[in-house]
Amino acid sequence: MSERERRGGRKPGALPGILAVVAMAAAITLPVVLLSVGGGVSSHEIARLQASGYQIVVSGPGTAGIDLAHQRVGQIAAIPSVGAVSPTLTRPLDLRGPGGRWVPLLAEGIIPSAYYATLGSTASQVFSAPPNLGDPTDMIHYQNGSYAGPVSPDVLVNTTLAQADHLTVGDSVTLAPAANGSGAVTYTVTGTFNVVASLFSTSGNYGIYLPLSNLQVLTGLARTGPGPGGLLDAADSIHVGLTGTASTSPTQIARVVAALHALLPYYGVSTLSQEASQLEGAASILNGFYLVLSSVGLAIGFVFLTLVLVRRVEAERREIGIRRALGLPSRSIAATIVARAVLLGGAGALLGVASGIGTVTVLARVGSAPVQAASRLAVFSPVQLIALGVGALALAGVASAFAVRRALRLPLPEALR
Amino acid sequence: MTSGAVIELAGVTKVYGGAGPAGVRALRGINLRFRPGQYVSIEGPSGCGKTTLLNLLGLIDTPTEGEVRWDGVNVADGSERERARFRLRSIGFVFQRFYLLPTLTVRENVELPLRPLLRGRAERRARAVELLESVGLSARAGFYPSQLSGGEEQRVAIARALVNSPALLLADEPTGELDSDNAGKVLDLLEALHRERQTTLIVVTHNPEVARRARRHLTLRDGRVESDVREGETT
């Protein structure tokens, strides 16, 4: 028998305890990452909706599902309480700048003055009033019927893209609906805009604005002619802003929605409050899903911690036996085990939270572009982090209960052998 | 603290491994009575039931049949909590392998049984130091068990066993791990403390020198009392 064994049994080294802390930390890291990034993206989207300015969205089926976009502006604007109407069309294009390389991007076709009128206070600061895209009403080019009349070949590019491709105001760029450059048209950069994280999604980094009619022509979604069959004039959606108090009145919003339904019976009409509500619902469902997913990791951490604690009781059976033989109360033996569990669980929780925050920070720097963008939106809610810590401690408490039960049920004569 | 109690084993049988034919009968119908302040040795070959008897006297184990009585009250049929409380207040243990807790200092080891009884840390410390002085180890109070010799460890264990002034001190082969020099010192100490405190002292031993110092000599064989000799009288 070794000297150590003679003096009180072989003790496990620090490794099992370290592994238990690491297991708990890994279990906590996952929900920290999922909840912070998921919650951040959801919050960002909801904030974006709330900051957008317009209150109602009309949408057609699929992409470019709305026809007669320019005409709809006047029809919808005639509805009482409607203050601004902006059809928009988003299409992928390729841009070739002075450097000669083709860059895939998203182009947003807008009617400059109508678009500006639907923006919220924050968004409106991004652009001049209205955005510098030639004819503010985008009607000269459109009214010609064949789109062959005076045109404003103007484009606004975001500052990130402008810097990457060394574009400045006055430069010529070529836009094409296909990567091979067929159907390309030369445009003039008339301005740049900053991509504000609270307003634009990650695609904002690859975005340009141009007149709606220009984009329709470029992508084959223009009105083909004044006669029958020439009804395309396509858009994806129409943003509708309300005037004054109507913008915050559920009754007034409902009234306008009803009028829009009557005017455009085949199109979807939704309000931002509905979208925000749906987004919040989706966010809470996702949070629940994240927690369920995380519970698998937590369960593994819990099992590992329990095994380590029980193993420790087995290794210390003689020491526990001595304490019990001396008549020390069960609660003092239990307190030692619970304290150890709380120490391991607490250390695991702290390490897990730190690891989660560190993981998100690293992802925000070295992940792929969408991962970086999403990670930068992460929100570390103190309430959630504290709840996770409390959860880890609760699991440690339950794990310690198994170990305590084991310790208090050790047959004393055997423990003292 | 319980002092001066008459301790009895009445019809005590202990069977390990169930009551069926596979069960091992470690003790068979033991009847013994210990007067307060007696110094008793228990001898016998390995496996005769000495340690089992000591465990039953110390309420570490419970009899399969029979009673362990203190002043006529059966104390063996209480709950584990009740028996632990009784051990804490009335019984001291000295083990062959000392069983000091390696993570505690000498003083903390001696203080250990006082923790549930005395709230004041200073009071506990003073009591522990007093006991360490009585075993000649107050200078080692801040040492850890690994820094002590075997004889010193056993003296610390004796101090721990006596710190609650128990009525009964049980020692299981207290010199089994010691050389003859240290064994003699430990036995002198046990004897002196027994005389000074009038504690009932029951020692399980194979060592004739240990047994020789006792006033009553019990010999067990096959779970039964083979002889019970006291002061020259045999029963």
Side-chain angles (χ1 to χ4, degrees):
Chain A
M1 179 183 294
S2 71
E3 179 69 5
R4 187 170 198 177
E5 286 171 314
R6 186 180 68 78
R7 291 179 189 283
R10 187 175 293 279
K11 297 282 173 56
L15 187 61
I18 291 170
L19 289 177
V21 169
V22 170
M24 285 301 284
I28 295 293
T29 299
L30 185 63
V32 169
V33 172
L34 291 177
L35 291 174
S36 62
V37 175
V41 171
S42 300
S43 301
H44 165 75
E45 291 300 321
I46 290 168
R48 199 158 67 93
L49 280 177
Q50 289 164 345
S52 59
Y54 55 87
Q55 288 82 29
I56 298 171
V57 183
V58 177
S59 53
T63 56
I66 294 176
D67 63 356
L68 304 172
H70 287 80
Q71 287 182 24
R72 303 289 185 204
V73 174
Q75 293 171 331
I76 296 171
I79 296 172
S81 301
V82 169
V85 182
S86 169
T88 61
L89 175 67
T90 304
R91 305 298 291 170
L93 292 181
D94 285 85
L95 176 148
R96 188 174 64 186
R101 75 182 179 108
W102 286 100
V103 180
L105 42 72
L106 277 178
E108 183 108 330
I110 58 172
I111 297 173
S113 57
Y115 180 73
Y116 190 78
T118 57
L119 295 179
S121 58
T122 308
S124 62
Q125 293 170 20
V126 174
F127 302 98
S128 58
N132 186 16
L133 290 171
D135 171 21
T137 62
D138 188 41
M139 291 300 280
I140 299 173
H141 185 41
Y142 162 73
Q143 279 181 334
N144 186 269
S146 65
Y147 291 78
V151 64
S152 302
D154 300 341
V155 63
L156 303 178
V157 300
N158 76 68
T159 49
T160 307
L161 181 63
Q163 285 168 5
D165 278 51
H166 309 293
L167 294 173
T168 56
V169 173
D171 282 349
S172 292
V173 295
T174 304
L175 295 175
N180 61 11
S182 64
V185 173
T186 300
Y187 279 74
T188 303
V189 177
T190 54
T192 59
F193 61 95
N194 286 314
V195 175
V196 180
S198 62
L199 297 172
F200 297 94
S201 63
T202 54
S203 59
N205 284 325
Y206 304 89
I208 60 171
Y209 283 89
L210 62 161
L212 175 60
S213 59
N214 287 28
L215 185 59
Q216 288 172 337
V217 170
L218 198 59
T219 56
L221 296 167
R223 188 172 62 171
T224 52
L231 298 174
L232 206 50
D233 185 12
D236 294 319
S237 60
I238 301 174
H239 298 167
V240 179
L242 303 186
T243 55
T245 55
S247 63
T248 55
S249 164
T251 311
Q252 296 271 48
I253 292 173
R255 196 169 293 156
V256 174
V257 168
L260 284 167
H261 273 304
L263 181 65
L264 309 163
Y266 303 114
Y267 293 158
V269 179
S270 62
T271 66
L272 288 193
S273 53
Q274 281 174 338
E275 287 186 24
S277 167
Q278 286 168 354
L279 201 52
E280 281 169 354
S284 63
I285 290 169
L286 275 177
N287 277 348
F289 175 73
Y290 294 153
L291 285 175
V292 169
L293 194 63
S294 305
S295 66
V296 176
L298 287 171
I300 293 170
F302 166 74
V303 169
F304 203 92
L305 182 60
T306 304
L307 289 176
V308 166
L309 291 172
V310 170
R311 165 85 179 82
R312 187 87 187 189
V313 164
E314 289 296 331
E316 293 181 348
R317 56 190 292 139
R318 181 174 296 164
E319 189 168 329
I320 291 165
I322 294 166
R323 288 174 186 270
R324 286 179 55 199
L326 293 176
L328 293 181
S330 304
R331 65 173 181 277
S332 79
I333 294 164
T336 307
I337 296 169
V338 172
R340 179 179 296 147
V342 167
L343 189 68
L344 292 176
L350 282 177
L351 190 64
V353 168
S355 162
I357 293 172
T359 302
V360 172
T361 306
V362 169
L363 287 177
R365 289 179 183 168
V366 300
S368 62
V371 170
Q372 278 192 34
S375 300
R376 285 186 188 133
L377 297 173
V379 175
F380 298 102
S381 157
V383 173
Q384 283 181 343
L385 295 182
I386 290 170
L388 283 171
V390 169
L393 291 180
L395 284 181
V398 176
S400 71
F402 286 99
V404 166
R405 185 168 178 269
R406 184 71 155 238
L408 298 182
R409 291 194 168 192
L410 282 176
L412 254 184
E414 284 178 29
L416 289 171
R417 237 170 239 164
Chain B
M1 177 175 62
T2 307
S3 61
V6 173
I7 302 162
E8 291 173 278
L9 298 177
V12 166
T13 294
K14 181 67 185 178
V15 181
Y16 292 110
V24 176
R25 299 179 80 82
L27 292 177
R28 301 160 187 262
I30 300 286
N31 292 293
L32 287 169
R33 189 166 189 271
F34 302 99
R35 288 197 314 277
Q38 275 191 326
Y39 184 170
V40 183
S41 71
I42 302 176
E43 300 165 77
S46 293
C48 68
K50 301 187 297 293
T51 298
T52 300
L53 183 64
L54 210 66
N55 285 342
L56 293 175
L57 279 167
L59 304 185
I60 282 176
D61 209 347
T62 51
T64 309
E65 290 172 21
E67 295 183 351
V68 180
R69 297 181 192 143
W70 281 58
D71 283 339
V73 177
N74 183 12
V75 291
D77 65 352
S79 65
E80 171 55 33
R81 177 181 285 193
E82 288 166 339
R83 284 186 281 124
R85 196 177 299 144
F86 197 87
R87 282 198 299 272
L88 181 68
R89 292 171 185 276
S90 308
I91 304 172
F93 293 94
V94 177
F95 302 99
Q96 178 179 358
R97 292 177 192 159
F98 327 134
Y99 288 168
L100 300 180
L101 300 187
T103 53
L104 302 183
T105 65
V106 163
R107 180 178 53 72
E108 288 166 343
N109 264 287
V110 177
E111 270 186 53
L112 196 60
L114 291 174
R115 285 187 187 174
L117 298 176
L118 297 179
R119 289 201 177 278
R121 183 175 290 184
E123 199 180 350
R124 288 202 304 261
R125 177 174 294 205
R127 176 78 178 138
V129 170
E130 180 191 330
L131 261 294
L132 283 172
E133 277 170 4
S134 72
V135 298
L137 284 174
S138 55
R140 297 274 200 270
F143 285 40
Y144 284 90
S146 58
Q147 297 171 294
L148 303 180
S149 69
E152 288 173 328
E153 281 195 83
Q154 193 60 300
R155 280 150 66 195
V156 174
I158 290 170
R160 183 181 65 186
L162 293 172
V163 76
N164 281 348
S165 303
L168 173 63
L169 181 59
L170 300 171
D172 190 358
E173 299 279 11
T175 61
E177 298 269 320
L178 303 177
D179 58 46
S180 58
D181 190 32
N182 274 312
K185 286 179 186 168
V186 164
L187 289 174
D188 290 344
L189 179 64
L190 274 176
E191 198 168 345
L193 292 171
H194 157 70
R195 210 167 27 240
E196 178 191 325
R197 294 162 183 265
Q198 285 302 298
T199 304
T200 304
L201 174 58
I202 300 176
V203 182
V204 163
T205 185
H206 279 106
N207 186 337
E209 170 61 18
V210 178
R212 188 185 61 76
R213 293 175 181 242
R215 302 288 174 271
R216 181 179 175 189
H217 309 274
L218 284 170
T219 305
L220 299 187
R221 185 175 294 276
D222 297 332
R224 292 196 173 87
V225 177
E226 185 179 65
S227 69
D228 184 354
V229 181
R230 25 186 149 175
E231 305 289 335
E233 166 196 354
T234 305
T235 57

